[in-house]
Amino acid sequence: MSSTSPRMSPLPLPRSMRVILALMLREMGTTYGKSSLGYLWALLEPIGAIAVLSFAFSVAFQTPPLGSSFPLFYATGYIPFMVYNTMQNQVGATVRENTQLLFYPRVTYMDAIISRFCLVSLTQFLSAAIVFAGIIILDGVNQQMDLGAILLGFGVAVLLGLGMGTLNCVIIHLMPSWRQIWSILTRPLFLISCIFFMFDTLPIWIQDILWWNPLIHIIGVTRLGFYSVYEGGYISLAYPLIIAGTTLFLGLALLRRHAANLINS
């Protein structure tokens, strides 16, 4: 009798995991491979926006509203906003852009949403890490940071984007004009999310209105992580998390109800 034991083969991945990984690879090719810049665009977009904001406001002001680095201050506002906005846009278009794949019985709308969520999250987190590291090194930033608070801010941003994107995914199908309406409604968010000013410095009556913008809290906790002297007493992450959970629940419920119509339309 042979003393050698049979060769152990690696455990196969669950079917859903294989489908999600395959969809992620496809998304990488269709989303970033169709451009000559590819993944480089995920870095160039925030770098360009931060550079423009830094130059424009450094001409008008001697120091940024917080800290001593203009690029870092505007990055702590713009990048969390971009993470949320990219996530909700990409997830909102998931079913529409993957309709043909959903005809395959092995591929579900949940697989498509999860794969896009994972790919966008990884891309945005990597892009943010490179941009922040570059600013800290090139601008000579030397200050104590709270990595936990920074990651918490980005985590809430992607969850809020997932919830809003999932809900919009169905609403756009039921009411196609919603895409244009949503674009118009959310256009002012860039100006009222405290990207280039501080919430604490605004008049009380304006604070009472803007507090209901969930991005205020996400950007606030991100800046709390980068600036140890910042207090951010107004921040309540429970609020954007409630919105994220509610919109995700409603979106998934509507997707389940209208799944057949979404795929066959």
Side-chain angles (χ1 to χ4, degrees), residues 153-165:
F154 278 73
V156 178
V158 297
L159 290 177
L160 182 63
L162 173 65
M164 297 303 302

Side-chain angles (χ1 to χ4, degrees), residues 3 6 9 72 77 87 94 102 109 114 142 146 153 159 172 176 226 265:
S3 61
S9 59
L72 182 62
M87 181 63 75
T94 299
L102 296 178
Y109 61 82
I114 293 173
N142 184 20
D146 184 351
L159 290 177
I172 290 173
F226 279 95
S265 61

Side-chain angles (χ1 to χ4, degrees), residues 217-241:
H217 306 272
I218 292 171
I219 292 173
V221 76
T222 304
R223 284 186 170 143
L224 196 66
F226 279 95
Y227 300 96
S228 58
V229 297
Y230 187 51
E231 296 181 358
Y234 63 91
I235 298 170
S236 173
L237 287 184
Y239 174 57
L241 283 173

